[in-house]
Amino acid sequence: MMHQMRAEYGAGGEAGGVRLWHMVRGSQSVAMCGRELDPAAPVREAVDWGRTAELCCHTCGAYFLRETPYLASEHP
Ligand SMILES: [Zn+2]
């Protein structure tokens, strides 16, 4: 199953910048942790998980690494 990262904006919406990166399945706008994200928020390739300047959601990370062990091995 394909995953991608989707941004959660901080206070002030888009102008406030990215507060946190979540992981979503496919092109959904609901994160794996259950948080609803702006469908227009920026997305990134799943391989960028843990490599962004902004923080990544810990809950999403736990689900994601469980579903994609081949990536988990790169990010112990
Ligand atoms: Zn999340």
Side-chain angles (χ1 to χ4, degrees):
M1 182 176 289
M2 295 294 292
H3 296 77
Q4 63 183 357
M5 296 165 61
R6 187 176 288 277
E8 175 190 338
Y9 289 132
E14 189 172 355
V18 175
R19 187 177 86 84
L20 193 63
W21 288 97
H22 294 267
M23 191 65 78
V24 301
R25 295 186 183 90
S27 56
Q28 293 180 3
S29 59
V30 179
M32 296 176 81
C33 66
R35 187 171 187 94
E36 287 199 34
L37 302 171
D38 185 340
V43 295
R44 292 183 67 140
E45 298 273 338
V47 293
D48 285 340
W49 188 258
R51 298 173 180 169
T52 54
E54 303 85 7
L55 291 174
C56 294
C57 172
H58 284 256
T59 307
C60 282
Y63 283 120
F64 174 59
L65 295 180
R66 196 175 303 157
E67 290 191 10
T68 56
Y70 67 93
L71 278 176
S73 63
E74 295 178 14
H75 302 283

